[in-house]
């Protein structure tokens, strides 16, 4: 009997980053793979599953409108508890820092199932920012058996917290595997406005926002800043695929109404989003995943946060942390639009987060953990 590995995921970014690992497990001849979706997200998760052709074997369907953190946690743990009473995989995989991750790790741990944590060791060193993700990551670290750290920085964070070096493997981030295989397809946009924009050759600023700690006043200020930038730069086209969270939409969208050079869309399917990323001149975001993808395409990224658990691209000069202050957002975008030397220093393509082989390294490390194979070279060893 082959060991059964159970990837558990629930939100858009987890799905994107788990997809290459699921593909690698499905082609492996040493493992069986049983895929579990918690359904913490619905439309945004289904979009990714459809793109990568993943049909979860089990879907806990936990999403509720305006859900609270405790509700996601308890519904997920209850669902997994029932599942693990019926069937016990040889290991579960969780990815990242969402509430699905902590719930998945806890439920598995309580059933004495080994937990493999992908994207382990990211730390902002501020327990309350990003909230609740920094706590989710640290809690998951405590109960994981294998820590797949994307970079040597994240490995060092784990070592500093006393994690055994033998239980850590540096894989690169699986988001780069997903990005590289997706962006090259240059898929058509389903919205004709975006196809027209791509043909026009206009400068594009791509914007995403959703972080819980930015919701409310900070996000309203971001909305006002985007509107001011649009008015001051009529030749610039701003594209904002809006997160499904109504709290986000209510905060950021009212200020953008009636401005011809702002296109607000539904969340873009991953293929379309990565194409828009490759067309963009500037990226303004508070997303974790976008901070990892944009540098790899050589796009300057202004991050609307005060800290980051992803310092590698900041050190490389491609990412700048600017917070959410309205004036600062306007000033930093204006500087990139007007100061070509500044733009050129930030527009360097760098790949600190991966080389496209993270899923392969992850599955090899799982094989070693379960004594059915050996690890391969780590990410960065030949850099
Ligand atoms: C969650 C994660 C966050 C991650 C983000 C990625 C937690 C605590 N937060 O935040 O770490 O960065 O996903 O996007 O785990 N909604 C829909 N349809 C969807 C998705 C969301 O309608 O497909 C709405 C629902 O009303 C839902 C709300 O958005 O209640 C918030 O979703 P939730 O998963 O709780 O929080 P996110 O802000 O998406
Ligand atoms: N993304 C997408 N469509 C969109 C916006 C983002 O496919 O309209 C992708 C993006 O390429 C990245 C991921 O979603 O891989 C980031 O998700 P999000 O910002 O929701 O979460 P975070 O990474 O901050 O946890």
């Amino acid at each position: 009997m082959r060991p059964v590995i159970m990837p558990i995921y629930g939100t858009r970014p987890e799905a994107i980053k788990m997809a290459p690992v699921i593909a690698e497990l499905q082609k492996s001849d040493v493992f069986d793979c049983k895929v579990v979706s918690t359904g913490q997200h619905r439309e945004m998760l289904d979009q990714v599953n459809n793109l990568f052709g993943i049909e979860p074997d089990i879907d806990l369907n936990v999403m509720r409108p305006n859900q609270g953190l405790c509700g996601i946690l308890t519904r997920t743990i209850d669902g997994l508890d029932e599942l693990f009473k019926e069937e016990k995989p040889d290991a579960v995989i969780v990815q990242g820092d969402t509430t699905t991750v902590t719930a998945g790790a806890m439920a598995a741990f309580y059933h004495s199932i080994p937990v493999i944590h992908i994207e382990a060791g990211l730390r902002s060193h501020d327990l309350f920012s990003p909230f609740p993700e920094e706590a989710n990551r640290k809690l998951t670290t405590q109960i994981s058996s294998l820590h797949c750290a994307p970079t040597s920085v994240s490995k060092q964070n784990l070592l500093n917290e006393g994690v055994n070096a033998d239980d850590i493997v540096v894989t690169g981030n699986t988001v780069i595997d997903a990005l590289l295989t997706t962006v090259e397809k240059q898929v058509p946009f389903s919205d004709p406005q975006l196809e027209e924009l791509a043909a026009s050759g206009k400068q594009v600023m791509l914007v995403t926002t959703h972080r819980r700690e930015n919701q409310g006043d900070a996000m309203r200020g971001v909305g006002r800043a985007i509107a001011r930038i649009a008015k001051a730069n009529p030749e610039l086209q701003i594209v904002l695929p809006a997160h499904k969270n109504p709290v986000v939409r209510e905060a950021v969208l009212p200020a953008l109404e009636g401005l011809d050079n702002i296109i607000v869309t539904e969340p873009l399917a991953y293929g379309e989003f990565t194409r828009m990323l490759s067309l963009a001149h500037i990226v303004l975001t508070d997303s974790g995943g976008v901070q990892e993808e944009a540098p790899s395409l050589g796009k300057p990224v202004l991050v609307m946060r005060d800290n980051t658990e992803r310092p590698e691209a900041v050190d490389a000069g491609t990412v700048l942390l600017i917070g959410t202050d309205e004036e600062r957002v306007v000033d930093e975008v204006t500087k990139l639009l007007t100061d070509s030397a500044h733009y050129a220093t930030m527009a360097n393509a760098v790949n600190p987060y991966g080389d496209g082989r993270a899923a392969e390294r992850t599955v090899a490390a799982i094989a070693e953990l379960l004594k059915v194979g050996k690890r391969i070279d780590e990410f960065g060893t030949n850099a």
Side-chain angles (χ1 to χ4, degrees), residues 10-14 40-46 63-69 72 97-100 131-133 136 210-212 215 243-246 248 288:
T11 67
R12 170 173 66 192
E14 294 163 75
Q40 177 177 335
H41 281 175
R42 192 67 283 158
E43 302 88 338
M44 287 163 59
L45 183 72
D46 296 344
M63 194 188 88
R64 302 287 180 274
N66 290 315
Q67 59 199 357
L69 298 175
I72 307 169
D97 51 25
T98 67
T99 297
T100 281
F131 177 87
E133 291 83 0
N136 285 347
H210 73 84
R211 293 245 77 81
R212 221 165 254 263
Q215 290 167 11
H243 192 285
K244 276 282 182 195
N245 191 344
V248 170

Side-chain angles (χ1 to χ4, degrees), residues 68-139:
L69 298 175
C70 294
I72 307 169
L73 185 83
T74 52
R75 286 192 296 277
T76 303
I77 290 187
D78 278 349
L80 291 174
D81 188 30
E82 291 307 314
L83 175 66
F84 295 150
K85 282 179 195 159
E86 298 285 313
E87 47 190 301
K88 204 166 167 181
D90 295 277
V92 304
I93 310 180
V94 291
Q95 192 291 328
D97 51 25
T98 67
T99 297
T100 281
V101 172
T102 310
M106 285 179 73
F109 182 75
Y110 283 171
H111 281 266
S112 302
I113 301 165
V115 176
I116 295 149
H117 187 198
I118 301 185
E119 201 181 76
L122 272 64
R123 296 289 184 267
S124 68
H125 306 289
D126 177 349
L127 194 56
F128 297 95
S129 174
F131 177 87
E133 291 83 0
E134 179 78 354
N136 285 347
R137 297 168 186 141
K138 294 180 87 168
L139 291 164

Side-chain angles (χ1 to χ4, degrees), residues 12-13 16 44 175 208 210-211 241 243 267-270 273 287-290 293:
R12 170 173 66 192
I16 292 166
M44 287 163 59
V175 79
T208 79
H210 73 84
R211 293 245 77 81
H243 192 285
L268 295 178
Y270 187 57
F273 186 81
S287 161
V290 178
E293 293 162 337

